[in-house]
């Protein structure tokens, strides 16, 4: 973080403020963990702090300290609007453009309140008075930890903060295995454990909560997996009918896109999930090595993310989305065949 960004943030927080912290639509572990970690830190320092999420988040995150205090804009619109309009500082965490917060983002755009952006995605928009952006970071949760340190809060990392940040880092690094996991990440994790984060409990709470329906849906997804061997690519489809048959609940498909990458030789994986209600196909992309799925999602799916993990959407039908995908692959042949 630059001196200038740190100075702007500490000036904004130099007296008790009304603070709102916002994460992205369909919040994941890192969005929830970073927002709640920062929430407890600022609240403990005496700021009147509220976390507002654009919409609901998966059940496997609903044990986290502080999660019951989160306002969901979609369901609690009026209460959310009240805190947003009264806010003196707005922190936006784990996203790089206000439209990633959906309808909540549209409301945020109307404010003249100072914004602080904390995020590790590429190419952040220019809407914040303080932009703490670092694409080399494992997670936004790790960045919140560094911000707490920079604000001289080393001794203020409570068990609640530690648990949330540990969970956010763990989920965004695939349990500390993605290349973004640095030696510093492990040092941060060590300190969070010293502050009360219970690693094995957190792991169990997140990963050992499968419903039988989700396991069935995973079976369907793996059955549907198509491997294009010569392009080291694999894709999965899930239709609305298949989701319905497995009683799909939000979060159930989380992580499915990673499975094809465990197939020997596969470096590019993509999942197409039909959402009839929204009239879109939700797309998640993952890669290994230098193949840039952020660029792929930006070019073809109105999306973005990171080099090795991105997302987007298509408004074509499921089968047409797949046909289109296959038709856009040829120019990537070289990159897919020769990337390490
Ligand atoms: P996921 O596949 O888990 O939804 O998302 C993977 C990564 O891509 C996340 O870092 C997420 O922030 C980013 N991402 C997902 N969907 C979108 C999208 O529609 N637009 C942009 N810009 N990024 C996305
Ligand atoms: Mn993240």
């Amino acid at each position: 973080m630059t001196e200038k960004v740190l100075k702007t943030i500490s000036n904004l927080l130099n007296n008790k403020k009304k603070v709102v912290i916002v994460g992205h639509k369909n919040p994941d572990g890192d969005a929830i963990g970073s927002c709640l970690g920062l929430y407890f830190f600022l609240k403990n320092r005496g700021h009147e702090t509220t976390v507002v999420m654009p919409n609901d988040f998966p059940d496997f995150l609903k044990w986290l300290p502080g999660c019951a205090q989160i306002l969901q804009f979609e369901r609690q619109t009026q209460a959310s609007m009240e805190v947003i309009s009264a806010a003196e500082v707005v922190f936006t965490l784990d996203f790089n453009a206000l439209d990633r917060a959906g309808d909540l983002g549209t409301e945020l755009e109307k404010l003249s309140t100072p914004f602080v952006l904390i995020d590790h995605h590429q190419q952040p928009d220019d809407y914040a008075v303080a932009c703490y952006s670092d694409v080399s970071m494992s997670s936004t949760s790790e960045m919140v930890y560094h911000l707490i340190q920079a604000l001289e809060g080393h001794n203020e990392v409570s068990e609640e903060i530690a648990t949330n940040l540990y969970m956010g880092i763990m989920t965004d690094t695939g349990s500390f295995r993605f290349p973004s996991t640095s030696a510093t990440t492990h040092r941060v994790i060590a300190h969070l454990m010293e502050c009360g984060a219970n690693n094995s409990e957190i792991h169990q709470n997140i990963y050992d909560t499968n419903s039988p329906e989700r396991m069935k849906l995973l079976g369907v997804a793996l059955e549907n997996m198509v491997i294009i061997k010569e392009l080291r690519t694999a894709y999965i489809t899930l239709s609305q009918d298949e989701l319905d048959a497995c009683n799909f609940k939000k979060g159930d498909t989380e992580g499915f896109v990673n499975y094809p990458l465990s197939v020997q030789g596969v470096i590019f994986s993509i999942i197409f999930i039909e959402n009839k209600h929204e009239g879109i196909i939700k797309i998640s992309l993952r890669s290994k090595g230098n193949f840039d799925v952020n660029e792929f999602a930006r070019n073809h799916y109105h999306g973005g993310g990171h080099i090795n993990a991105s997302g987007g959407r298509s408004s074509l039908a499921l089968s047409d989305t797949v046909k289109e995908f296959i038709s856009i692959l040829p120019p990537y042949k070289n990159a897919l065949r020769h990337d390490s």
Side-chain angles (χ1 to χ4, degrees):
M1 185 183 341
T2 64
E3 279 297 316
K4 191 164 167 263
V5 167
L6 177 59
K7 206 156 174 229
T8 310
I9 299 175
S10 43
N11 282 342
L12 284 171
L13 298 172
N14 70 358
N15 53 0
K16 307 261 190 293
K17 287 274 168 68
K18 292 194 173 85
V19 178
V20 166
I21 306 172
V22 175
H24 55 77
K25 194 168 174 201
N26 301 324
D28 60 358
D30 190 29
I32 296 285
S34 58
C35 287
L36 288 176
L38 183 63
Y39 162 77
F40 281 110
F41 176 70
L42 294 178
K43 192 164 99 83
N44 295 346
R45 282 203 166 179
H47 301 285
E48 201 179 300
T49 312
T50 314
V51 177
V52 183
M53 288 291 165
N55 60 346
D56 200 2
F57 51 95
D59 283 352
F60 66 80
L61 298 172
K62 289 195 173 156
W63 57 274
L64 285 159
C67 75
Q69 273 74 55
I70 294 177
L71 285 179
Q72 288 175 32
F73 182 78
E74 202 175 81
R75 282 193 199 160
Q76 296 154 291
T77 312
Q78 201 183 337
S80 305
M81 286 302 293
E82 275 164 28
V83 290
I84 292 164
S85 3
E88 293 166 291
V89 186
V90 175
F91 282 80
T92 66
L93 267 56
D94 202 37
F95 62 93
N96 54 5
L98 289 176
D99 64 7
R100 293 275 295 123
D103 294 342
L104 171 57
T106 311
E107 294 304 325
L108 294 175
E109 271 168 23
K110 298 176 191 160
L111 300 178
S112 53
T113 320
F115 281 72
V116 178
L117 173 152
I118 306 177
D119 184 43
H120 64 141
H121 295 94
Q122 293 169 352
Q123 297 138 315
D125 275 2
D126 184 22
Y127 60 82
V129 293
C131 178
Y132 175 26
S133 156
D134 187 343
V135 297
S136 73
M137 281 285 159
S138 69
S139 53
T140 304
S141 297
E142 182 176 339
M143 298 176 77
V144 167
Y145 178 89
H146 294 307
L147 174 64
I148 291 174
Q149 296 293 321
L151 293 170
E152 294 171 2
H154 184 81
N155 296 321
E156 296 167 51
V157 182
S158 63
E159 188 179 321
E160 289 138 330
I161 295 174
T163 301
N164 276 294
L165 296 184
Y166 185 106
M167 182 284 302
I169 298 171
M170 180 186 81
T171 51
D172 243 31
T173 57
S175 300
F176 319 110
R177 71 199 157 101
F178 297 155
S180 58
T181 313
S182 65
T184 301
T185 312
H186 283 287
R187 282 186 205 101
V188 170
I189 284 296
H191 184 222
L192 293 176
M193 286 175 71
E194 285 161 359
C195 294
N198 184 326
N199 60 321
S200 100
E201 242 174 49
I202 295 172
H203 198 277
Q204 283 177 35
N205 284 343
I206 294 290
Y207 295 116
D208 300 343
T209 57
N210 283 312
S211 63
E213 287 88 357
R214 179 178 190 261
M215 293 308 270
K216 232 178 104 189
L217 188 62
L218 174 60
V220 175
L222 295 178
E223 190 70 40
N224 290 351
M225 177 172 72
V226 176
I227 298 173
I228 309 172
K229 201 170 167 212
E230 67 279 14
L231 297 181
R232 300 198 287 172
T233 295
Y235 68 86
I236 289 176
T237 55
L238 281 173
S239 68
Q240 187 71 62
D241 285 347
E242 288 168 326
L243 296 166
D244 292 346
C246 294
N247 195 16
F248 170 76
K249 288 219 300 290
K250 206 179 195 72
D252 276 356
T253 56
E254 195 90 15
F256 284 10
V257 65
N258 293 314
Y259 282 88
L261 284 186
S262 69
V263 176
Q264 197 176 25
V266 171
I267 62 155
F268 177 29
S269 167
I270 184 163
I271 187 167
F272 303 100
I273 303 170
E274 188 174 28
N275 183 332
K276 281 236 163 104
H277 177 67
E278 290 187 26
I280 58 159
I281 309 298
K282 168 78 182 105
I283 301 169
S284 287
L285 308 90
R286 299 291 185 270
S287 68
K288 278 183 181 168
N290 298 324
F291 187 70
D292 188 346
V293 292
N294 169 49
E295 194 189 302
F296 200 97
R298 277 175 185 269
N299 288 346
H300 305 293
Y301 299 129
H302 317 280
H306 314 272
I307 288 183
N308 297 128
S310 68
R313 76 202 87 92
S314 158
S315 38
L316 300 176
L318 183 57
S319 58
D320 292 334
T321 305
V322 172
K323 271 189 211 141
E324 184 204 48
F325 171 65
I326 290 167
S327 77
I328 56 186
L329 281 177
Y332 296 95
K333 254 183 195 165
N334 264 342
L336 286 165
R337 279 189 185 150
H338 303 299
D339 245 36
S340 55

